[in-house]
Amino acid sequence: MTAPTIGVLALQGDVREHLAALESSGAHGITVRRPAELAQIDGLIIPGGESTTMSNLLGVFDLLDPLRARLAEGMPAYGSCAGMILLASEILDTKPDARHLDCLDITVRRNAFGRQVDSFETDLDVIDIDGGPVRAVFIRAPWVERVGDRVEVLATVPHGPAAGRVVAVRQNSVLATSFHPEVTGDDRVHRLFVDMVRRS
């Protein structure tokens, strides 16, 4: 089976870690900073970072409109942390001029778990991921406050003050997590996305 080519938006975030996870998941990973690179890929990962800065950089690099067009055509995408925010249809606690990609029917709250010092790890049961819980790292992470009818909830926080908060979702060929699977060495979330790209 031919390895799909999956891009990692290389404006901010753990680009190298996502590329390594893609390679171990049976995909060919490339960095994406230009429209020409966007045209070469079968799917895209939008990593963490600062979502308003990333939305501005999409404009600076002339990627916003081409990316919206590819997503509208059905290109699979996976967003982690800030990537989830950019993929959402509604964002709470953001700047008025922040732009987003509007391809997940969800409402997310930025920095919902608190500041950098409130970062934490926990184990999550994630739908369609076998082999036991996924270790999830939350760093200034969002959570999902509303999910649309066509959105599938894949994971919620199991305990603590944020118990029940939605932190992983899927809608058609778009996947998003509040947490950072790329930093744990566990590539199962990336394998799930690679399978989604293959099926699309």
Side-chain angles (χ1 to χ4, degrees):
M1 184 182 297
T2 304
T5 298
I6 298 178
V8 179
L9 188 65
L11 305 179
Q12 271 193 334
D14 296 327
V15 175
R16 285 181 301 174
E17 290 84 351
H18 279 293
L19 289 171
L22 284 171
E23 295 292 339
S24 70
S25 301
H28 172 57
I30 67 169
T31 57
V32 172
R33 290 189 189 89
R34 303 282 180 215
E37 295 158 345
L38 184 65
Q40 299 172 23
I41 59 175
D42 304 307
L44 179 70
I45 291 177
I46 304 175
E50 206 288 314
S51 58
T52 52
T53 300
M54 290 174 73
S55 75
N56 291 333
L57 288 171
L58 283 170
V60 169
F61 283 84
D62 293 324
L63 278 170
L64 187 64
D65 289 338
L67 179 52
R68 281 178 170 156
R70 286 295 315 272
L71 291 168
E73 292 165 2
M75 179 185 70
Y78 164 49
S80 64
C81 199
M84 170 188 266
I85 295 168
L86 285 171
L87 290 168
S89 58
E90 184 181 14
I91 306 165
L92 305 176
D93 296 334
T94 193
K95 295 178 181 176
D97 61 344
R99 295 170 287 190
H100 51 98
L101 300 167
D102 197 23
C103 56
L104 279 172
D105 184 15
I106 59 174
T107 300
V108 297
R109 185 174 296 279
R110 292 176 72 243
N111 302 332
F113 290 96
R115 297 176 299 158
Q116 193 88 10
V117 295
D118 301 309
S119 300
F120 70 101
E121 298 182 25
T122 192
D123 290 326
L124 298 177
D125 292 318
V126 182
I127 289 173
D128 285 346
I129 292 184
D130 298 324
V134 171
R135 191 67 177 171
V137 178
F138 293 86
I139 305 168
R140 292 182 62 205
W143 66 41
V144 179
E145 297 213 345
R146 178 196 62 85
V147 294
D149 294 339
R150 295 169 295 132
V151 177
E152 181 183 8
V153 173
L154 300 183
T156 59
V157 177
H159 47 70
R165 291 293 186 181
V166 174
V167 291
V169 295
R170 177 172 55 196
Q171 182 177 344
N172 300 323
S173 59
V174 180
L175 174 70
T177 63
S178 299
F179 54 92
H180 291 266
E182 76 281 0
V183 301
T184 65
D186 182 343
D187 64 9
R188 287 178 292 163
V189 172
H190 290 80
R191 287 182 182 275
L192 175 64
F193 179 58
V194 171
D195 287 343
M196 290 170 59
V197 174
R198 285 197 170 109
R199 289 197 302 270
S200 73

